[in-house]
Amino acid sequence: MKKHADHLVILGIDGLPEIREGDDIASLFFDALKEKSESLEDGDAIVFTSKIVSKSEGGVVVLSGVTPGADAERIAKETDKDARIVQLMLNEAKELVRAENNTIIVETKHGFVCANAGIDESNVEEGKAVLLPDDPQMSASQLKQAIEARSGKEIAVLISDSFGRAFRNGVTGICIGVSG
């Protein structure tokens, strides 16, 4: 991407297909970059959403295969949530921080304190949910290595996620994994 000494350039990459388990997102990124007639430069930072990383790594769960336990059933009733989703939250949680008013806040196994354990049902087929990547740091490192090997450029890779503001309106973007 072209260097500009006096400003920041943010380039969105569109045209990616629906990501599936096993997809090589580094190769798909290069295909999309080529389609835009762009190239990488040393020092570029590439941001991948956690959702496409999770999807490529097999982090999509079919809800019909989730059996909620007693705690999930109880919390689901208290918060008016799907017990299967609550079970996934409990599976991904190191600690349940709070559950009230249709909001469940946990500390994830990664150490993130967030609503719904980062589990997302948007932009995925009906009856499925997407978990956060198992190891976002490792994912960022592997993507960085793959992109640098192919491009010959020294770059950084960030894995981003949108976190709901617990008990507040709004969403904020955060970096959950970085390499470079």
Side-chain angles (χ1 to χ4, degrees):
M1 290 171 224
K2 297 173 186 74
K3 287 279 186 218
H4 300 278
D6 62 346
H7 60 280
L8 173 69
V9 175
I10 298 174
L11 177 65
I13 301 294
D14 51 2
L16 292 175
E18 183 65 33
I19 305 300
R20 305 266 182 233
E21 183 174 358
D23 281 351
D24 179 348
I25 56 177
S27 289
L28 293 172
F29 167 76
F30 277 108
D31 293 345
L33 200 61
K34 183 179 178 184
E35 186 69 27
K36 282 187 129 8
S37 299
E38 292 287 345
S39 61
L40 293 176
E41 298 293 331
D42 285 329
D44 282 348
I46 304 164
V47 181
F48 291 93
T49 66
S50 64
K51 185 170 287 177
I52 69 167
V53 172
S54 291
K55 285 179 168 185
S56 73
E57 294 177 349
V60 177
V61 177
V62 178
L63 295 177
S64 63
V66 176
T67 303
D71 286 340
E73 293 284 359
R74 178 184 52 77
I75 294 167
K77 286 179 185 170
E78 293 171 1
T79 58
D80 195 32
K81 291 200 177 282
D82 182 326
R84 299 168 303 176
I85 296 292
V86 174
Q87 185 60 57
L88 290 176
M89 290 178 206
L90 295 175
N91 294 350
E92 295 296 304
K94 190 184 308 183
E95 177 184 353
L96 176 64
V97 176
R98 183 176 278 176
E100 65 181 55
N101 302 329
N102 198 25
T103 302
I104 298 174
I105 301 171
V106 303
E107 178 182 356
T108 69
K109 60 187 175 186
H110 313 88
F112 307 133
V113 176
C114 59
N116 304 323
I119 295 169
D120 195 346
E121 293 178 85
S122 65
N123 300 315
V124 67
E125 296 90 353
E126 182 76 26
K128 295 183 179 181
V130 181
L131 309 176
L132 290 175
D134 281 336
D135 186 344
Q137 285 295 118
M138 179 65 76
S139 300
S141 177
Q142 290 171 342
L143 282 166
K144 177 183 178 355
Q145 290 172 14
I147 292 168
E148 285 183 342
R150 185 163 167 181
S151 69
K153 303 296 181 183
E154 188 173 322
I155 54 95
V157 169
L158 295 89
I159 308 294
S160 71
D161 193 53
S162 53
F163 271 28
R165 305 270 321 227
F167 301 112
R168 296 182 181 99
N169 291 328
V171 175
T172 187
I174 67 161
C175 178
I176 64 170
V178 63
S179 182

